[in-house]
Amino acid sequence: MKRFFLFFITVILTGNIKAENGYELWLRYYKIDDAAILQQYRNNISSIQFTSSTPTLLAAKEELLNGLQGLLDKKITEQNLITNGCILVGTSSDPVIHSIISSNFFSKAGKEGYVIQTVTTNQKKVIVIAGNTEVGALYGCFAFLRLLQTHQNIQNLSIVSAPRIQLRMLDHWDNVNRTIERGYAGMSIWNWHKLPDYIDKRYKDYARANASIGINAVALNNVNANAIMLTKDYLIKVAALAEVFRPYGIKVYLSAKFSAPVEIGGLKTADPLDAQVQNWWKQKADEIYTYIPNFGGFLVKANSEEQPGPQTYNRTHADGANMLADALAPHGGIVIWRAFVYSNENTDDRFKQAYNEFKPFDGKFRNNVLIQVKNGPIDFQPREPFHPLFGAMPHTPLVMEFQLTQEYLGFSTHLVYLAPLFKECLDADTYEQGKNSTVSKVIDGSSEDHKLTGMAAVANIGSDIDWTGHPFAQANWYAFGRLAWDHELSAAQIADEWIRQTFTNIQHAVDTIKNIMLASREITVDYMTPLGLHHIMGYSHHYGPAPWYNAAQRADWNPVYYHKADSLGIGFDRTATGSNALAQYAPEARKQFQDLHTCDEKYLLWFHHVEWNYKMHSGRSLWDELCYKYYAGADSVKWMQQQWNSLKGFIDDERFEQVQMLLTIQQKEAVWWRNACVLYFQTFSRMPLPKGFEQPAKNLEYYESLQFPYAPGISGNQ
Ligand code: GCV
């Protein structure tokens, strides 16, 4: 019966769904297809009134009008009078809004938050959307449209929402020549050649999408920076983008190359303690602010992976960051200095290097410096324990750095919903100040009362028509913004609202898609790096498995450095008998990892070298468990395919087929990962595959022979 019902719905729907290319993201505003909900909205909304027409409120008005007219399929008028069903939008400084909304709400909303209230005034029922600032009101409009797009009841609204984190930032690794380092969705959307005169429509749509989820900062260029970005010609182009973004509350930042004073300034040195160098940066900052009055500041990768930095001149990270901070301070700019550093000369465990280099400088940075730390200690792996710097630098504001572009998670061909990965890190307990000192409390400033706070993510956006190359990669952009606004939202809640806005509100379809999304990250971990394996992907391009690789010029670029498989077992001993990286965590946090028998098996091989015969919680040997995980992961992609196939007719054919094809690739690649890894590790364990497991189709030599010279995403600082 249920089947028949679903089939019936499918038949009805198929005729109505128009093809979509994904360009509109989660801001589609198609007519509400539920008659009762549509009626409720039509009854409650008739007109809009804006209290002023500044650029930000004009942007809000355009969005609200466009959204309402699309969703309600009715003409919405603009009124000067308050009538029944009017939506009144403005700021708390407007006398009418001030008189009908309690100031309590506004104090909770803070600088960027919003209030959405249903109010009856002079016998007229109205909906007020307001903030203390215009950008707060803009965010409120987007939030209101989200309510409608997700079919919420809007008859008696009483909502106040404020971001938990101040700086909610996308970092583009886009090069000047429009290639993108680790980019899998086409070329950079910044057309530097045509800027500043040609303003692509995409720039505004990009700003709208970001504002709709509260993103308020973007670093435009690769952290492997090109100094040319700081020349006048390029600053003028940057200024043109900043102008498009400004009404949407978005500030631009630039990745600054530390050697710029030499490369474009004609100086002999970039030593941060040299007066001429300091002066050069001061003048550069002054110049930037003449073009971009609301410029955000610099993002810096220094002394890491061949990038220049203060250590080049025997100075410290603090010397370098503080020099730039002093140049920006008069203008209110900030420096975001990355802690992703590891040195070739240092033979100690790469895991430990960022902590060792940065912890001694805790409290030594200027007030306008933030230190940006990747979520885990190595590099955006499918699963990492939280970075030990979180909780270790109480006197320094730390910015979280996540990665949306799926460098280590199947590029833009694998469906991997990243919110569970983000949440796992944010919810981890650092025990910095006793129990419940979660990573999220470190970065939202509540642990140490920091006023400047931030969360950043490496963007997954490119020139592909759907922006992200995989329709589901859009969900990662969306989830990042929502979590940066409120890290207490759950991965399921965010998936739910994204699906409803992006695909459909039909409950069966929402549930099916949500199940796929929520399972996808763990499935990927299982077929790529189960039980705490990490960094075993292809060399340089990072595509596919290569646990055997051992030819890189630096030891810590080789997978064998990380898995340490030998005839006895597998895994990196980071306890006191090994590299003792665990000592970098607070004692209580360390406890959860340090004992082989109690360590969560998800992290086992991150911290222990474990014998092949070791008995796991399941009762299986480690070897059998490893095989079990690899096979379960690959099989689960088939489950994802079956689930997806059941959605035919619930969503448009164009995106349905796209995802179907991408899942086919994902399934093949999952089997490839499984076969290559199992065959390789078997050369050490010398144990058979567990009974009943299908023998890999090819031998290890075959997998080792695969070459991908043109895999996407590799590039330097062009
Ligand atoms: C921008 C990893 C990536 C590099 C990236 C680097 C970083 O090593 O593979 O492409 O460079 O991280 O975060 O700086």
Side-chain angles (χ1 to χ4, degrees), residues 53-364:
S53 25
T54 56
T56 296
L57 287 184
L58 279 178
K61 190 200 292 184
E62 187 184 14
E63 195 73 32
L64 195 61
L65 264 182
N66 181 26
L68 292 176
Q69 295 188 154
L71 290 161
L72 274 56
D73 192 27
K74 103 175 193 186
K75 176 109 190 94
I76 302 290
T77 55
E78 219 191 314
Q79 298 269 348
N80 292 325
L81 284 175
I82 291 192
T83 54
N84 245 336
C86 172
I87 301 178
L88 176 62
V89 184
T91 61
S92 52
S93 58
D94 176 77
V96 179
I97 291 182
H98 184 75
S99 69
I100 54 178
I101 301 289
S102 147
S103 55
N104 254 341
F105 289 128
F106 284 116
S107 42
K108 284 190 195 141
K111 198 167 140 236
E112 288 181 293
Y114 56 82
V115 174
I116 306 179
Q117 297 282 317
T118 306
V119 184
T120 302
T121 175
N122 294 333
Q123 281 129 43
K124 309 280 188 295
K125 191 174 168 192
V126 299
I127 296 170
V128 178
I129 303 177
N132 288 310
T133 56
E134 289 166 0
V135 79
L138 171 75
Y139 290 151
C141 289
F142 278 114
F144 182 69
L145 289 167
R146 181 159 62 234
L147 295 177
L148 306 189
Q149 291 190 93
T150 54
H151 294 193
Q152 307 298 305
N153 188 325
I154 59 152
Q155 300 197 86
N156 265 308
L157 294 167
S158 181
I159 297 171
V160 184
S161 181
R164 291 180 193 272
I165 287 175
Q166 260 187 2
L167 191 70
R168 304 174 296 279
M169 180 160 187
L170 281 185
D171 292 351
H172 287 259
W173 285 357
D174 295 17
N175 296 310
V176 188
N177 67 1
R178 295 191 76 180
T179 57
I180 304 179
E181 181 147 355
R182 313 307 178 186
Y184 314 103
M187 304 296 278
S188 168
I189 57 174
W190 319 131
N191 192 333
W192 296 115
H193 179 65
K194 288 185 182 166
L195 279 163
D197 299 318
Y198 186 88
I199 302 297
D200 194 319
K201 173 181 178 302
R202 270 200 176 223
Y203 303 151
K204 182 170 157 188
D205 289 334
Y206 166 85
R208 288 175 51 234
N210 279 331
S212 77
I213 48 176
I215 288 172
N216 62 1
V218 297
L220 298 174
N221 59 321
N222 192 354
V223 287
N224 288 334
N226 187 324
I228 202 172
M229 286 303 295
L230 298 176
T231 60
K232 180 178 174 196
D233 286 354
Y234 278 84
L235 290 174
I236 290 170
K237 296 168 191 280
V238 171
L241 289 175
E243 212 160 291
V244 179
F245 301 161
R246 197 168 296 122
Y248 291 91
I250 299 167
K251 283 188 182 180
V252 300
Y253 290 70
L254 289 176
S255 293
K257 187 153 189 188
F258 203 77
S259 52
V262 177
E263 289 186 42
I264 58 166
L267 300 190
K268 291 215 161 47
T269 175
D271 180 347
L273 298 193
D274 182 292
Q276 271 187 311
V277 173
Q278 293 170 352
N279 195 38
W280 187 88
W281 281 108
K282 278 203 163 77
Q283 284 181 8
K284 187 47 74 181
D286 294 348
E287 182 194 354
I288 293 174
Y289 281 90
T290 62
Y291 303 123
I292 313 158
N294 68 334
F295 181 65
F298 295 135
L299 171 65
V300 187
K301 172 174 177 178
N303 294 117
S304 170
E305 299 183 335
E306 275 84 64
Q307 291 303 305
Q311 292 172 346
T312 318
Y313 307 95
N314 291 323
R315 310 298 184 196
T316 67
H317 287 295
D319 293 332
N322 290 343
M323 171 199 56
L324 295 178
D326 289 344
L328 293 165
H331 308 281
I334 62 171
V335 172
I336 302 167
W337 191 268
R338 295 176 85 228
F340 178 70
V341 295
Y342 59 102
S343 147
N344 200 18
E345 285 86 56
N346 187 343
T347 51
D348 203 354
D349 182 359
R350 174 169 154 189
F351 185 118
K352 294 160 65 178
Q353 295 193 30
Y355 178 102
N356 288 342
E357 279 196 39
F358 277 85
K359 173 132 177 85
F361 295 106
D362 185 24
K364 304 251 161 43

Side-chain angles (χ1 to χ4, degrees), residues 383 525-526 529-533 600-606 616 622 625-627 629:
R383 167 161 284 122
V525 170
D526 283 351
T529 52
L531 302 177
L533 284 172
D600 187 333
E601 289 180 354
K602 289 195 280 211
Y603 297 103
L604 193 64
L605 306 180
W606 266 100
M616 304 289 285
L622 170 66
E625 186 75 8
L626 195 67
C627 295
K629 289 280 182 195

